[in-house]
Amino acid sequence: MNTLIRAVRPWGQTLSDVTIAGGEITGVEPHDPARPVPPGAGREEVTVVEGRGRLLVPSFSDVHVHLDSTRIGLPFREHTGGPGVWTMMMNDRQNWRTAEVPLQERVNGTLGRMIARGTTRVRSYAQVDVDCRLERFDAVLAAKEQFKGRADVEIIAFPQAGLLLEEGTVPLMEEALKAGANVMGGIDPCSLDRDPARHLDIVFGLAEKYQVPIDIHLHEPGELGVFSADLVLERTRALGMQGKVTMSHAYQLGSVSESITRRLIEEFAELDVSLASVAPSVSGQLPIPLLAEAGVRTGLGEDGQRDYWSPYGNTDMLDRTWQLAFTHGFRRDELIEHCLAIATVGGASVLDPSATRLKGTAHRPGVEAGDPADLVLIDGETVASAVMDRGTDRTVIHRGKVVADGLQLV
């Protein structure tokens, strides 16, 4: 697929024309209204996308989403969950089967809306437990196949109910990995399973057996969270899993002391452990500028989307980018733009450690010759204003092909 994007502003800079071939950007040149359309290869036609002066940035990477629990597109319902992971999980368990439309339709509809709004790289959790077995995993797997030409999707086999509390969970996790799960999940080794050594033995053991990376859900507070994080770091080092571990949420790893915050960031950088945030409104998070300075791969995700856990989320990663900037109190344009870089290129590097990495808060890669042609055109005066205004005039490109325009799939 050969494509010419005319009159766009890469990362808000000067008006340019961008050429694409073979799924990657082949040229970025100053805009020329008289520029001829380049010839296609053989009989292949060239697609011309009119930029109309819009911004051009890498497409979004949602690295933490629960496609299997979504209620996007369904009637709004009263939130019935209670406090704590186990209570919330049981509330979900009691309700997810009785939604107004079948699970597969909900998953497909949500993923389609995400793509239409600019997300072309996705890492989704799929709950695996003795209640749903592989039913929710299968639904996410089917959606991955359905939209394979429009987005790249990874699936985490996720033990939302823990690995040790219900007999039969671990064999089901292994079934999911055999069936095509891309990532081995873990969750709160201390506060949920209450046996961190055994929990992490299983997580790292299955990851090694099936040669997949790891994603640990960590909601644990303060010193307990730091204790669990240290256990994960210790195993990452001992087992040579550098570049293969992601810590998700990790809400309060920066809440204990400045010295511990800096030590954790240094070890994350040393062991190439990445972070996935959902932009929570909580204090004590690891500071984004320090993570960027250290080179820690950091991505963003929408988490659950209007589901049985939370009424928040709307499939729009530009909204979640605004939330990331807002919850960190960012006002400077550079830091607001860095939030968009996290939501795009940062997330891409979480999914693929060999991808381009952000180098500080001012780095804006992803729209240069040689970069993958996963892009989104967005209306806005500047990048920071686009995050503030969150306009809807968008065109989404995946591997050089237009897959959505005006918030509609094409």
Side-chain angles (χ1 to χ4, degrees), residues 123 154 183 204 212-215 233 236-237 239-247 267-275 297 348-355 357:
R123 178 179 275 184
E154 288 187 357
V183 183
F204 278 84
V212 295
I214 289 168
D215 188 300
L233 292 170
T236 302
R237 178 179 285 107
L239 298 174
M241 292 283 286
Q242 291 90 337
K244 297 181 180 179
V245 177
T246 299
M247 299 290 290
E267 291 194 47
F268 277 29
E270 174 198 349
L271 298 171
D272 199 13
V273 171
S274 62
L275 280 171
R297 291 178 292 127
S349 72
V350 170
L351 299 175
D352 179 6
S354 69
R357 301 179 180 214

PDB file of all heavy atoms in Angstrom, residues 123 154 183 204 212-215 233 236-237 239-247 267-275 297 348-355 357:
ATOM      1  N   ARG A 123      -2.853  -3.912  23.956  1.00  0.00           N
ATOM      2  CA  ARG A 123      -2.572  -5.063  24.830  1.00  0.00           C
ATOM      3  C   ARG A 123      -3.766  -5.207  25.761  1.00  0.00           C
ATOM      4  O   ARG A 123      -3.997  -4.372  26.631  1.00  0.00           O
ATOM      5  CB  ARG A 123      -1.285  -4.874  25.628  1.00  0.00           C
ATOM      6  CG  ARG A 123      -1.009  -6.033  26.582  1.00  0.00           C
ATOM      7  CD  ARG A 123       0.286  -5.857  27.371  1.00  0.00           C
ATOM      8  NE  ARG A 123       1.424  -6.333  26.602  1.00  0.00           N
ATOM      9  CZ  ARG A 123       2.677  -6.374  27.089  1.00  0.00           C
ATOM     10  NH1 ARG A 123       2.921  -5.935  28.324  1.00  0.00           N
ATOM     11  NH2 ARG A 123       3.663  -6.842  26.345  1.00  0.00           N
ATOM     12  N   GLU A 154      -2.322  -7.750  21.345  1.00  0.00           N
ATOM     13  CA  GLU A 154      -1.735  -8.766  22.216  1.00  0.00           C
ATOM     14  C   GLU A 154      -2.730  -9.108  23.313  1.00  0.00           C
ATOM     15  O   GLU A 154      -3.503  -8.246  23.748  1.00  0.00           O
ATOM     16  CB  GLU A 154      -0.451  -8.250  22.875  1.00  0.00           C
ATOM     17  CG  GLU A 154       0.735  -8.123  21.956  1.00  0.00           C
ATOM     18  CD  GLU A 154       2.000  -7.784  22.719  1.00  0.00           C
ATOM     19  OE1 GLU A 154       1.949  -7.598  23.949  1.00  0.00           O
ATOM     20  OE2 GLU A 154       3.061  -7.718  22.063  1.00  0.00           O
ATOM     21  N   VAL A 183       0.967 -12.947  26.543  1.00  0.00           N
ATOM     22  CA  VAL A 183       1.601 -12.436  27.757  1.00  0.00           C
ATOM     23  C   VAL A 183       1.056 -13.211  28.959  1.00  0.00           C
ATOM     24  O   VAL A 183      -0.132 -13.528  29.011  1.00  0.00           O
ATOM     25  CB  VAL A 183       1.320 -10.929  27.945  1.00  0.00           C
ATOM     26  CG1 VAL A 183       2.048 -10.380  29.172  1.00  0.00           C
ATOM     27  CG2 VAL A 183       1.714 -10.141  26.694  1.00  0.00           C
ATOM     28  N   PHE A 204       6.437 -16.553  36.637  1.00  0.00           N
ATOM     29  CA  PHE A 204       7.706 -16.590  35.909  1.00  0.00           C
ATOM     30  C   PHE A 204       7.950 -17.971  35.295  1.00  0.00           C
ATOM     31  O   PHE A 204       8.537 -18.082  34.218  1.00  0.00           O
ATOM     32  CB  PHE A 204       8.858 -16.198  36.832  1.00  0.00           C
ATOM     33  CG  PHE A 204       9.028 -14.710  36.976  1.00  0.00           C
ATOM     34  CD1 PHE A 204       8.261 -14.002  37.899  1.00  0.00           C
ATOM     35  CD2 PHE A 204       9.932 -14.011  36.195  1.00  0.00           C
ATOM     36  CE1 PHE A 204       8.398 -12.625  38.039  1.00  0.00           C
ATOM     37  CE2 PHE A 204      10.082 -12.633  36.314  1.00  0.00           C
ATOM     38  CZ  PHE A 204       9.315 -11.940  37.248  1.00  0.00           C
ATOM     39  N   VAL A 212       7.015 -16.172  26.832  1.00  0.00           N
ATOM     40  CA  VAL A 212       6.203 -14.965  26.687  1.00  0.00           C
ATOM     41  C   VAL A 212       6.619 -13.958  27.757  1.00  0.00           C
ATOM     42  O   VAL A 212       7.161 -14.327  28.797  1.00  0.00           O
ATOM     43  CB  VAL A 212       4.696 -15.263  26.826  1.00  0.00           C
ATOM     44  CG1 VAL A 212       4.217 -16.159  25.684  1.00  0.00           C
ATOM     45  CG2 VAL A 212       4.383 -15.895  28.183  1.00  0.00           C
ATOM     46  N   PRO A 213       6.362 -12.676  27.524  1.00  0.00           N
ATOM     47  CA  PRO A 213       6.639 -11.671  28.555  1.00  0.00           C
ATOM     48  C   PRO A 213       5.614 -11.727  29.682  1.00  0.00           C
ATOM     49  O   PRO A 213       4.639 -12.487  29.621  1.00  0.00           O
ATOM     50  CB  PRO A 213       6.572 -10.350  27.785  1.00  0.00           C
ATOM     51  CG  PRO A 213       5.690 -10.631  26.618  1.00  0.00           C
ATOM     52  CD  PRO A 213       5.920 -12.074  26.255  1.00  0.00           C
ATOM     53  N   ILE A 214       5.827 -10.889  30.676  1.00  0.00           N
ATOM     54  CA  ILE A 214       5.016 -10.885  31.899  1.00  0.00           C
ATOM     55  C   ILE A 214       4.420  -9.495  32.112  1.00  0.00           C
ATOM     56  O   ILE A 214       5.062  -8.483  31.847  1.00  0.00           O
ATOM     57  CB  ILE A 214       5.884 -11.265  33.113  1.00  0.00           C
ATOM     58  CG1 ILE A 214       6.261 -12.743  33.052  1.00  0.00           C
ATOM     59  CG2 ILE A 214       5.189 -10.938  34.437  1.00  0.00           C
ATOM     60  CD1 ILE A 214       7.341 -13.145  34.040  1.00  0.00           C
ATOM     61  N   ASP A 215       3.184  -9.458  32.618  1.00  0.00           N
ATOM     62  CA  ASP A 215       2.547  -8.207  33.024  1.00  0.00           C
ATOM     63  C   ASP A 215       1.935  -8.420  34.406  1.00  0.00           C
ATOM     64  O   ASP A 215       1.045  -9.252  34.573  1.00  0.00           O
ATOM     65  CB  ASP A 215       1.466  -7.804  32.016  1.00  0.00           C
ATOM     66  CG  ASP A 215       0.901  -6.423  32.279  1.00  0.00           C
ATOM     67  OD1 ASP A 215       0.351  -6.209  33.374  1.00  0.00           O
ATOM     68  OD2 ASP A 215       0.996  -5.555  31.392  1.00  0.00           O
ATOM     69  N   LEU A 233      11.497  -7.509  40.682  1.00  0.00           N
ATOM     70  CA  LEU A 233      12.798  -7.074  40.172  1.00  0.00           C
ATOM     71  C   LEU A 233      13.866  -8.134  40.445  1.00  0.00           C
ATOM     72  O   LEU A 233      14.717  -8.412  39.584  1.00  0.00           O
ATOM     73  CB  LEU A 233      13.187  -5.749  40.822  1.00  0.00           C
ATOM     74  CG  LEU A 233      12.330  -4.534  40.434  1.00  0.00           C
ATOM     75  CD1 LEU A 233      12.650  -3.346  41.324  1.00  0.00           C
ATOM     76  CD2 LEU A 233      12.531  -4.170  38.977  1.00  0.00           C
ATOM     77  N   THR A 236      13.367 -10.916  37.988  1.00  0.00           N
ATOM     78  CA  THR A 236      13.723 -10.461  36.642  1.00  0.00           C
ATOM     79  C   THR A 236      15.233 -10.534  36.443  1.00  0.00           C
ATOM     80  O   THR A 236      15.718 -11.010  35.407  1.00  0.00           O
ATOM     81  CB  THR A 236      13.232  -9.020  36.422  1.00  0.00           C
ATOM     82  OG1 THR A 236      11.807  -8.971  36.612  1.00  0.00           O
ATOM     83  CG2 THR A 236      13.583  -8.525  35.031  1.00  0.00           C
ATOM     84  N   ARG A 237      15.973 -10.095  37.451  1.00  0.00           N
ATOM     85  CA  ARG A 237      17.434 -10.123  37.370  1.00  0.00           C
ATOM     86  C   ARG A 237      17.950 -11.566  37.381  1.00  0.00           C
ATOM     87  O   ARG A 237      18.780 -11.950  36.546  1.00  0.00           O
ATOM     88  CB  ARG A 237      18.038  -9.339  38.538  1.00  0.00           C
ATOM     89  CG  ARG A 237      19.571  -9.363  38.560  1.00  0.00           C
ATOM     90  CD  ARG A 237      20.145  -8.561  39.705  1.00  0.00           C
ATOM     91  NE  ARG A 237      20.051  -7.127  39.460  1.00  0.00           N
ATOM     92  CZ  ARG A 237      19.214  -6.305  40.066  1.00  0.00           C
ATOM     93  NH1 ARG A 237      18.363  -6.780  40.969  1.00  0.00           N
ATOM     94  NH2 ARG A 237      19.202  -5.015  39.773  1.00  0.00           N
ATOM     95  N   LEU A 239      16.542 -14.389  36.609  1.00  0.00           N
ATOM     96  CA  LEU A 239      16.139 -15.249  35.501  1.00  0.00           C
ATOM     97  C   LEU A 239      16.475 -14.660  34.126  1.00  0.00           C
ATOM     98  O   LEU A 239      16.113 -15.238  33.103  1.00  0.00           O
ATOM     99  CB  LEU A 239      14.636 -15.536  35.584  1.00  0.00           C
ATOM    100  CG  LEU A 239      14.185 -16.283  36.849  1.00  0.00           C
ATOM    101  CD1 LEU A 239      12.670 -16.390  36.891  1.00  0.00           C
ATOM    102  CD2 LEU A 239      14.817 -17.673  36.914  1.00  0.00           C
ATOM    103  N   GLY A 240      17.160 -13.529  34.115  1.00  0.00           N
ATOM    104  CA  GLY A 240      17.520 -12.925  32.829  1.00  0.00           C
ATOM    105  C   GLY A 240      16.321 -12.478  32.025  1.00  0.00           C
ATOM    106  O   GLY A 240      16.326 -12.572  30.793  1.00  0.00           O
ATOM    107  N   MET A 241      15.300 -11.933  32.694  1.00  0.00           N
ATOM    108  CA  MET A 241      14.066 -11.514  32.016  1.00  0.00           C
ATOM    109  C   MET A 241      14.066 -10.019  31.700  1.00  0.00           C
ATOM    110  O   MET A 241      13.005  -9.407  31.538  1.00  0.00           O
ATOM    111  CB  MET A 241      12.852 -11.857  32.888  1.00  0.00           C
ATOM    112  CG  MET A 241      12.590 -13.329  33.043  1.00  0.00           C
ATOM    113  SD  MET A 241      11.823 -14.060  31.573  1.00  0.00           S
ATOM    114  CE  MET A 241      10.150 -13.434  31.717  1.00  0.00           C
ATOM    115  N   GLN A 242      15.231  -9.427  31.580  1.00  0.00           N
ATOM    116  CA  GLN A 242      15.305  -8.007  31.245  1.00  0.00           C
ATOM    117  C   GLN A 242      14.544  -7.719  29.943  1.00  0.00           C
ATOM    118  O   GLN A 242      14.660  -8.447  28.973  1.00  0.00           O
ATOM    119  CB  GLN A 242      16.766  -7.579  31.085  1.00  0.00           C
ATOM    120  CG  GLN A 242      17.551  -7.573  32.387  1.00  0.00           C
ATOM    121  CD  GLN A 242      18.231  -8.890  32.693  1.00  0.00           C
ATOM    122  OE1 GLN A 242      17.807  -9.948  32.196  1.00  0.00           O
ATOM    123  NE2 GLN A 242      19.274  -8.864  33.501  1.00  0.00           N
ATOM    124  N   GLY A 243      13.745  -6.647  29.973  1.00  0.00           N
ATOM    125  CA  GLY A 243      12.984  -6.265  28.795  1.00  0.00           C
ATOM    126  C   GLY A 243      11.715  -7.053  28.585  1.00  0.00           C
ATOM    127  O   GLY A 243      11.010  -6.834  27.598  1.00  0.00           O
ATOM    128  N   LYS A 244      11.379  -7.953  29.509  1.00  0.00           N
ATOM    129  CA  LYS A 244      10.223  -8.836  29.315  1.00  0.00           C
ATOM    130  C   LYS A 244       9.180  -8.718  30.423  1.00  0.00           C
ATOM    131  O   LYS A 244       8.270  -9.549  30.502  1.00  0.00           O
ATOM    132  CB  LYS A 244      10.698 -10.286  29.206  1.00  0.00           C
ATOM    133  CG  LYS A 244      11.605 -10.546  28.003  1.00  0.00           C
ATOM    134  CD  LYS A 244      12.027 -11.999  27.927  1.00  0.00           C
ATOM    135  CE  LYS A 244      12.925 -12.243  26.712  1.00  0.00           C
ATOM    136  NZ  LYS A 244      13.375 -13.656  26.637  1.00  0.00           N
ATOM    137  N   VAL A 245       9.312  -7.699  31.276  1.00  0.00           N
ATOM    138  CA  VAL A 245       8.393  -7.555  32.404  1.00  0.00           C
ATOM    139  C   VAL A 245       7.792  -6.152  32.403  1.00  0.00           C
ATOM    140  O   VAL A 245       8.508  -5.167  32.228  1.00  0.00           O
ATOM    141  CB  VAL A 245       9.109  -7.817  33.744  1.00  0.00           C
ATOM    142  CG1 VAL A 245       8.153  -7.579  34.920  1.00  0.00           C
ATOM    143  CG2 VAL A 245       9.671  -9.236  33.795  1.00  0.00           C
ATOM    144  N   THR A 246       6.480  -6.097  32.589  1.00  0.00           N
ATOM    145  CA  THR A 246       5.768  -4.828  32.736  1.00  0.00           C
ATOM    146  C   THR A 246       5.068  -4.799  34.087  1.00  0.00           C
ATOM    147  O   THR A 246       4.452  -5.791  34.492  1.00  0.00           O
ATOM    148  CB  THR A 246       4.712  -4.653  31.627  1.00  0.00           C
ATOM    149  OG1 THR A 246       5.369  -4.646  30.351  1.00  0.00           O
ATOM    150  CG2 THR A 246       3.941  -3.349  31.796  1.00  0.00           C
ATOM    151  N   MET A 247       5.163  -3.671  34.758  1.00  0.00           N
ATOM    152  CA  MET A 247       4.401  -3.437  35.989  1.00  0.00           C
ATOM    153  C   MET A 247       3.231  -2.528  35.637  1.00  0.00           C
ATOM    154  O   MET A 247       3.435  -1.396  35.157  1.00  0.00           O
ATOM    155  CB  MET A 247       5.274  -2.777  37.045  1.00  0.00           C
ATOM    156  CG  MET A 247       6.479  -3.599  37.466  1.00  0.00           C
ATOM    157  SD  MET A 247       6.050  -5.069  38.422  1.00  0.00           S
ATOM    158  CE  MET A 247       5.502  -4.314  39.936  1.00  0.00           C
ATOM    159  N   GLU A 267      16.393   0.874  39.137  1.00  0.00           N
ATOM    160  CA  GLU A 267      16.339  -0.570  38.880  1.00  0.00           C
ATOM    161  C   GLU A 267      15.421  -0.895  37.713  1.00  0.00           C
ATOM    162  O   GLU A 267      15.696  -1.812  36.934  1.00  0.00           O
ATOM    163  CB  GLU A 267      15.909  -1.310  40.151  1.00  0.00           C
ATOM    164  CG  GLU A 267      16.952  -1.278  41.256  1.00  0.00           C
ATOM    165  CD  GLU A 267      16.660  -2.291  42.346  1.00  0.00           C
ATOM    166  OE1 GLU A 267      16.364  -3.468  42.026  1.00  0.00           O
ATOM    167  OE2 GLU A 267      16.711  -1.897  43.525  1.00  0.00           O
ATOM    168  N   PHE A 268      14.322  -0.172  37.588  1.00  0.00           N
ATOM    169  CA  PHE A 268      13.459  -0.380  36.425  1.00  0.00           C
ATOM    170  C   PHE A 268      14.244  -0.121  35.146  1.00  0.00           C
ATOM    171  O   PHE A 268      14.133  -0.867  34.160  1.00  0.00           O
ATOM    172  CB  PHE A 268      12.251   0.548  36.481  1.00  0.00           C
ATOM    173  CG  PHE A 268      11.120   0.050  37.340  1.00  0.00           C
ATOM    174  CD1 PHE A 268      11.353  -0.768  38.429  1.00  0.00           C
ATOM    175  CD2 PHE A 268       9.815   0.409  37.070  1.00  0.00           C
ATOM    176  CE1 PHE A 268      10.315  -1.226  39.236  1.00  0.00           C
ATOM    177  CE2 PHE A 268       8.761  -0.041  37.859  1.00  0.00           C
ATOM    178  CZ  PHE A 268       9.014  -0.855  38.945  1.00  0.00           C
ATOM    179  N   ALA A 269      15.031   0.948  35.141  1.00  0.00           N
ATOM    180  CA  ALA A 269      15.830   1.271  33.963  1.00  0.00           C
ATOM    181  C   ALA A 269      16.907   0.217  33.730  1.00  0.00           C
ATOM    182  O   ALA A 269      17.121  -0.234  32.595  1.00  0.00           O
ATOM    183  CB  ALA A 269      16.464   2.651  34.128  1.00  0.00           C
ATOM    184  N   GLU A 270      17.583  -0.197  34.784  1.00  0.00           N
ATOM    185  CA  GLU A 270      18.664  -1.182  34.665  1.00  0.00           C
ATOM    186  C   GLU A 270      18.152  -2.506  34.115  1.00  0.00           C
ATOM    187  O   GLU A 270      18.786  -3.124  33.250  1.00  0.00           O
ATOM    188  CB  GLU A 270      19.300  -1.404  36.034  1.00  0.00           C
ATOM    189  CG  GLU A 270      20.353  -2.509  36.072  1.00  0.00           C
ATOM    190  CD  GLU A 270      20.645  -3.009  37.469  1.00  0.00           C
ATOM    191  OE1 GLU A 270      20.198  -2.382  38.443  1.00  0.00           O
ATOM    192  OE2 GLU A 270      21.322  -4.054  37.576  1.00  0.00           O
ATOM    193  N   LEU A 271      16.996  -2.957  34.605  1.00  0.00           N
ATOM    194  CA  LEU A 271      16.447  -4.253  34.209  1.00  0.00           C
ATOM    195  C   LEU A 271      15.460  -4.139  33.051  1.00  0.00           C
ATOM    196  O   LEU A 271      14.887  -5.137  32.632  1.00  0.00           O
ATOM    197  CB  LEU A 271      15.765  -4.921  35.408  1.00  0.00           C
ATOM    198  CG  LEU A 271      16.689  -5.240  36.584  1.00  0.00           C
ATOM    199  CD1 LEU A 271      15.882  -5.698  37.789  1.00  0.00           C
ATOM    200  CD2 LEU A 271      17.715  -6.297  36.194  1.00  0.00           C
ATOM    201  N   ASP A 272      15.272  -2.939  32.543  1.00  0.00           N
ATOM    202  CA  ASP A 272      14.366  -2.676  31.427  1.00  0.00           C
ATOM    203  C   ASP A 272      12.960  -3.179  31.726  1.00  0.00           C
ATOM    204  O   ASP A 272      12.305  -3.818  30.888  1.00  0.00           O
ATOM    205  CB  ASP A 272      14.899  -3.293  30.131  1.00  0.00           C
ATOM    206  CG  ASP A 272      14.264  -2.677  28.893  1.00  0.00           C
ATOM    207  OD1 ASP A 272      13.606  -1.628  29.027  1.00  0.00           O
ATOM    208  OD2 ASP A 272      14.429  -3.246  27.798  1.00  0.00           O
ATOM    209  N   VAL A 273      12.499  -2.904  32.940  1.00  0.00           N
ATOM    210  CA  VAL A 273      11.117  -3.192  33.324  1.00  0.00           C
ATOM    211  C   VAL A 273      10.267  -1.986  32.934  1.00  0.00           C
ATOM    212  O   VAL A 273      10.593  -0.847  33.276  1.00  0.00           O
ATOM    213  CB  VAL A 273      11.006  -3.460  34.834  1.00  0.00           C
ATOM    214  CG1 VAL A 273       9.543  -3.544  35.269  1.00  0.00           C
ATOM    215  CG2 VAL A 273      11.743  -4.743  35.200  1.00  0.00           C
ATOM    216  N   SER A 274       9.189  -2.229  32.200  1.00  0.00           N
ATOM    217  CA  SER A 274       8.345  -1.129  31.734  1.00  0.00           C
ATOM    218  C   SER A 274       7.175  -0.902  32.683  1.00  0.00           C
ATOM    219  O   SER A 274       6.844  -1.745  33.527  1.00  0.00           O
ATOM    220  CB  SER A 274       7.831  -1.412  30.322  1.00  0.00           C
ATOM    221  OG  SER A 274       7.042  -2.574  30.294  1.00  0.00           O
ATOM    222  N   LEU A 275       6.539   0.257  32.525  1.00  0.00           N
ATOM    223  CA  LEU A 275       5.396   0.635  33.345  1.00  0.00           C
ATOM    224  C   LEU A 275       4.190   0.918  32.456  1.00  0.00           C
ATOM    225  O   LEU A 275       4.327   1.529  31.397  1.00  0.00           O
ATOM    226  CB  LEU A 275       5.709   1.887  34.160  1.00  0.00           C
ATOM    227  CG  LEU A 275       6.527   1.704  35.437  1.00  0.00           C
ATOM    228  CD1 LEU A 275       6.919   3.069  35.986  1.00  0.00           C
ATOM    229  CD2 LEU A 275       5.741   0.936  36.475  1.00  0.00           C
ATOM    230  N   ARG A 297      10.703   2.615  29.942  1.00  0.00           N
ATOM    231  CA  ARG A 297       9.599   2.524  28.978  1.00  0.00           C
ATOM    232  C   ARG A 297       8.268   2.661  29.726  1.00  0.00           C
ATOM    233  O   ARG A 297       7.991   1.892  30.640  1.00  0.00           O
ATOM    234  CB  ARG A 297       9.647   1.195  28.229  1.00  0.00           C
ATOM    235  CG  ARG A 297      10.815   1.068  27.279  1.00  0.00           C
ATOM    236  CD  ARG A 297      10.837  -0.295  26.594  1.00  0.00           C
ATOM    237  NE  ARG A 297      11.139  -1.374  27.512  1.00  0.00           N
ATOM    238  CZ  ARG A 297      10.415  -2.467  27.682  1.00  0.00           C
ATOM    239  NH1 ARG A 297       9.307  -2.637  26.982  1.00  0.00           N
ATOM    240  NH2 ARG A 297      10.772  -3.405  28.539  1.00  0.00           N
ATOM    241  N   ALA A 348       4.063   1.875  22.397  1.00  0.00           N
ATOM    242  CA  ALA A 348       4.601   0.976  21.374  1.00  0.00           C
ATOM    243  C   ALA A 348       5.887   0.312  21.865  1.00  0.00           C
ATOM    244  O   ALA A 348       6.147  -0.858  21.587  1.00  0.00           O
ATOM    245  CB  ALA A 348       4.854   1.740  20.077  1.00  0.00           C
ATOM    246  N   SER A 349       6.694   1.049  22.637  1.00  0.00           N
ATOM    247  CA  SER A 349       7.938   0.468  23.154  1.00  0.00           C
ATOM    248  C   SER A 349       7.684  -0.488  24.312  1.00  0.00           C
ATOM    249  O   SER A 349       8.502  -1.379  24.572  1.00  0.00           O
ATOM    250  CB  SER A 349       8.901   1.580  23.586  1.00  0.00           C
ATOM    251  OG  SER A 349       8.480   2.222  24.777  1.00  0.00           O
ATOM    252  N   VAL A 350       6.559  -0.318  25.017  1.00  0.00           N
ATOM    253  CA  VAL A 350       6.176  -1.304  26.035  1.00  0.00           C
ATOM    254  C   VAL A 350       5.841  -2.631  25.365  1.00  0.00           C
ATOM    255  O   VAL A 350       6.236  -3.709  25.822  1.00  0.00           O
ATOM    256  CB  VAL A 350       4.984  -0.785  26.869  1.00  0.00           C
ATOM    257  CG1 VAL A 350       4.428  -1.901  27.761  1.00  0.00           C
ATOM    258  CG2 VAL A 350       5.406   0.409  27.722  1.00  0.00           C
ATOM    259  N   LEU A 351       5.118  -2.560  24.263  1.00  0.00           N
ATOM    260  CA  LEU A 351       4.733  -3.772  23.543  1.00  0.00           C
ATOM    261  C   LEU A 351       5.915  -4.418  22.836  1.00  0.00           C
ATOM    262  O   LEU A 351       5.975  -5.644  22.723  1.00  0.00           O
ATOM    263  CB  LEU A 351       3.652  -3.428  22.513  1.00  0.00           C
ATOM    264  CG  LEU A 351       2.347  -2.864  23.080  1.00  0.00           C
ATOM    265  CD1 LEU A 351       1.412  -2.448  21.959  1.00  0.00           C
ATOM    266  CD2 LEU A 351       1.671  -3.858  24.001  1.00  0.00           C
ATOM    267  N   ASP A 352       6.842  -3.613  22.356  1.00  0.00           N
ATOM    268  CA  ASP A 352       7.997  -4.121  21.616  1.00  0.00           C
ATOM    269  C   ASP A 352       9.253  -3.399  22.101  1.00  0.00           C
ATOM    270  O   ASP A 352       9.502  -2.261  21.693  1.00  0.00           O
ATOM    271  CB  ASP A 352       7.798  -3.891  20.115  1.00  0.00           C
ATOM    272  CG  ASP A 352       8.991  -4.373  19.296  1.00  0.00           C
ATOM    273  OD1 ASP A 352       9.910  -4.988  19.870  1.00  0.00           O
ATOM    274  OD2 ASP A 352       8.989  -4.133  18.072  1.00  0.00           O
ATOM    275  N   PRO A 353      10.043  -4.034  22.960  1.00  0.00           N
ATOM    276  CA  PRO A 353      11.239  -3.367  23.503  1.00  0.00           C
ATOM    277  C   PRO A 353      12.241  -2.941  22.445  1.00  0.00           C
ATOM    278  O   PRO A 353      13.102  -2.099  22.722  1.00  0.00           O
ATOM    279  CB  PRO A 353      11.844  -4.437  24.431  1.00  0.00           C
ATOM    280  CG  PRO A 353      10.712  -5.343  24.770  1.00  0.00           C
ATOM    281  CD  PRO A 353       9.842  -5.370  23.555  1.00  0.00           C
ATOM    282  N   SER A 354      12.138  -3.501  21.238  1.00  0.00           N
ATOM    283  CA  SER A 354      13.069  -3.113  20.176  1.00  0.00           C
ATOM    284  C   SER A 354      12.602  -1.864  19.427  1.00  0.00           C
ATOM    285  O   SER A 354      13.333  -1.331  18.596  1.00  0.00           O
ATOM    286  CB  SER A 354      13.251  -4.263  19.177  1.00  0.00           C
ATOM    287  OG  SER A 354      12.068  -4.480  18.423  1.00  0.00           O
ATOM    288  N   ALA A 355      11.386  -1.390  19.715  1.00  0.00           N
ATOM    289  CA  ALA A 355      10.856  -0.198  19.039  1.00  0.00           C
ATOM    290  C   ALA A 355      11.558   1.055  19.559  1.00  0.00           C
ATOM    291  O   ALA A 355      12.238   1.042  20.586  1.00  0.00           O
ATOM    292  CB  ALA A 355       9.354  -0.097  19.269  1.00  0.00           C
ATOM    293  N   ARG A 357      12.401   4.268  21.477  1.00  0.00           N
ATOM    294  CA  ARG A 357      12.090   4.622  22.857  1.00  0.00           C
ATOM    295  C   ARG A 357      12.169   6.134  23.039  1.00  0.00           C
ATOM    296  O   ARG A 357      12.960   6.811  22.391  1.00  0.00           O
ATOM    297  CB  ARG A 357      13.069   3.945  23.819  1.00  0.00           C
ATOM    298  CG  ARG A 357      13.053   2.433  23.719  1.00  0.00           C
ATOM    299  CD  ARG A 357      14.051   1.832  24.682  1.00  0.00           C
ATOM    300  NE  ARG A 357      14.031   0.364  24.595  1.00  0.00           N
ATOM    301  CZ  ARG A 357      14.236  -0.430  25.620  1.00  0.00           C
ATOM    302  NH1 ARG A 357      14.490   0.074  26.817  1.00  0.00           N
ATOM    303  NH2 ARG A 357      14.208  -1.746  25.474  1.00  0.00           N
TER     304      ARG A 357
END
